[in-house]
Amino acid sequence: LILITSLILGTTITISSNHWMLAWMGLEINTMAIIPLICKPHHPRATEAAIKYFLTQSTASALILFSSMTNAWSSGQWDITQLNHPTSSLLLTMAISIKLGLVPFHFWFPEVLQGSSLTTALLLSTLMKLPPITLLLLTSQSLNPTSLALLAILSALIGGWMGLNQTQTRKILAFSSISHLGWMVIIILYNPKLTILAFALYTMMTTTVFLSLNRTKILKLSTMLISWTKTPTLNTTLMLTLLSLAGLPPLTGFMPKWLILQELTKQEMIPAATIISLLSLLGLFFYLRLAYHSAITLPPNSSNHMKLWLTNKTPNTPTAILTALSTFLLPLSPLIIPML
């Protein structure tokens, strides 16, 4: 309870602060609260993940502090939105890229997710991304548009490419997170509200996937193959959510991608829009692979599991609501577009 409260407190402090020191303090509270949650399984892999997480996050925090101090030294301003010094802007871009796990600072993220439990991995993929994204939103006007676009396209490329040959579900979702962050970062300068929309929908769909996987304790693709006999309905809805994450048209995940590509075209960034839409095909491949394993194919050998779905009928309301939202929100886009 204390750790979860600290996580919420740290996130709230960072997203509501105007002063660099308060934002930094919120990020530190977040880091300190999540490390015991990563260590919880008492497994060497979990300890290794916690150490990797601590080292990368403390480096990023030190860079944020250094960047804000350099800016305050040159301009006398501690306000987050008054980032005028070019070196500070560059350092901050690096620090937030490390915090988020953007390419080329992404190496820690899949490893840490692989060492964590599914619920901790969910927190790392969603809640822990909110404070750095907020800082990026507040400072985006001071950052270099070319470097942001480059980071975004590289993240979409590496996130899609590295996810192709993975067999562990947590690593696949880590690379999925990296490629989605690329979509959010590319549009942040031109339409920050679109970034918020993309992040909200990504959080919703990823939460649904993690809750579904946690329900059936699926950690590998081979386990996913035999989970059909346990929970056929859950596997079917998981398949739809995965296709939604891929951004296929009749589903919710299509909305942010469509709006981002439309905005990039309006900004006359047609090469960037073309490249990032082609790179989303890499992600589509591994989402289809996951969907194929979850519901479309059955293993050649019959599994010895009893059909638990005939007996175990405990309802799971949050997953049901999130699944509905993750798949059927696209018709609401006429309501959402005027808000942007």
Side-chain angles (χ1 to χ4, degrees):
L1 182 65
I2 291 169
L3 295 174
I4 298 292
T5 315
S6 303
L7 273 180
I8 295 164
L9 175 72
T11 305
T12 314
I13 288 174
T14 304
I15 63 178
S16 58
S17 60
N18 284 325
H19 195 285
W20 273 117
M21 274 310 204
L22 268 176
W24 175 78
M25 196 169 77
L27 289 169
E28 286 301 297
I29 292 171
N30 254 0
T31 307
M32 289 298 131
I34 196 82
I35 285 170
L37 291 173
I38 300 172
C39 286
K40 204 178 165 205
H42 293 299
H43 189 273
R45 198 72 197 260
T47 315
E48 184 189 335
I51 292 167
K52 282 177 179 170
Y53 185 78
F54 172 72
L55 291 173
T56 47
Q57 297 301 304
S58 51
T59 309
S61 292
L63 278 173
I64 286 176
L65 206 53
F66 185 41
S67 156
S68 54
M69 283 173 72
T70 312
N71 187 60
W73 189 37
S74 69
S75 67
Q77 289 282 351
W78 279 99
D79 195 314
I80 290 179
T81 49
Q82 306 291 321
L83 192 73
N84 305 318
H85 197 274
T87 314
S88 296
S89 301
L90 182 67
L91 282 169
L92 188 81
T93 312
M94 276 178 61
I96 289 183
S97 302
I98 295 170
K99 282 263 175 208
L100 286 172
L102 282 173
V103 175
F105 309 103
H106 65 289
F107 296 102
W108 63 274
F109 190 55
E111 296 297 323
V112 170
L113 242 66
Q114 183 57 31
S116 317
S117 66
L118 281 165
T119 36
T120 315
L122 167 61
L123 282 174
L124 285 166
S125 302
T126 54
L127 185 66
M128 299 303 287
K129 296 270 189 267
L130 184 55
I133 285 252
T134 314
L135 286 179
L136 203 56
L137 278 166
L138 289 170
T139 56
S140 59
Q141 298 309 317
S142 317
L143 304 178
N144 183 352
T146 318
S147 59
L148 280 181
L150 186 67
L151 282 171
I153 287 170
L154 280 174
S155 297
L157 169 69
I158 301 293
W161 199 279
M162 300 279 284
L164 292 178
N165 61 347
Q166 301 298 332
T167 55
Q168 304 284 335
T169 48
R170 285 167 294 184
K171 276 200 175 174
I172 292 175
L173 287 165
F175 287 116
S176 138
S177 176
I178 292 166
S179 64
H180 274 271
L181 281 167
W183 281 84
M184 291 172 216
V185 169
I186 202 162
I187 203 67
I188 202 159
L189 271 174
Y190 310 104
N191 194 339
K193 286 182 180 174
L194 258 182
T195 301
I196 297 167
L197 174 73
F199 181 72
L201 292 178
Y202 159 75
T203 302
M204 192 168 65
M205 293 184 286
T206 306
T207 307
T208 313
V209 172
F210 270 113
L211 289 176
S212 304
L213 294 177
N214 195 36
R215 179 92 169 153
T216 43
K217 298 285 178 281
I218 295 169
L219 299 176
K220 295 197 294 287
L221 289 182
S222 54
T223 324
M224 197 179 242
L225 275 170
I226 55 168
S227 66
W228 173 262
T229 47
K230 290 186 185 180
T231 49
T233 320
L234 188 68
N235 272 35
T236 312
T237 55
L238 176 62
M239 180 189 76
L240 285 172
T241 314
L242 286 164
L243 294 177
S244 182
L245 257 178
L248 286 184
L251 305 164
T252 307
F254 178 60
M255 192 199 313
K257 291 194 173 175
W258 160 45
L259 293 171
I260 287 169
L261 288 174
Q262 190 182 6
E263 186 64 34
L264 285 174
T265 316
K266 278 184 197 168
Q267 299 291 338
E268 295 182 359
M269 291 179 67
I270 292 165
T274 311
I275 291 166
I276 204 162
S277 54
L278 286 173
L279 291 177
S280 69
L281 293 175
L282 289 169
L284 176 63
F285 181 84
F286 66 76
Y287 288 123
L288 279 173
R289 188 157 156 248
L290 273 171
Y292 191 76
H293 276 76
S294 70
I296 305 168
T297 185
L298 285 171
N301 53 332
S302 58
S303 63
N304 297 324
H305 287 291
M306 282 183 67
K307 288 190 166 49
L308 299 179
W309 55 280
L310 292 173
T311 50
N312 182 12
K313 291 203 187 245
T314 51
N316 199 347
T317 318
T319 314
I321 294 167
L322 283 166
T323 304
L325 289 173
S326 299
T327 43
F328 304 123
L329 271 189
L330 190 65
L332 293 180
S333 20
L335 288 175
I336 293 167
I337 292 168
M339 297 177 198
L340 305 170

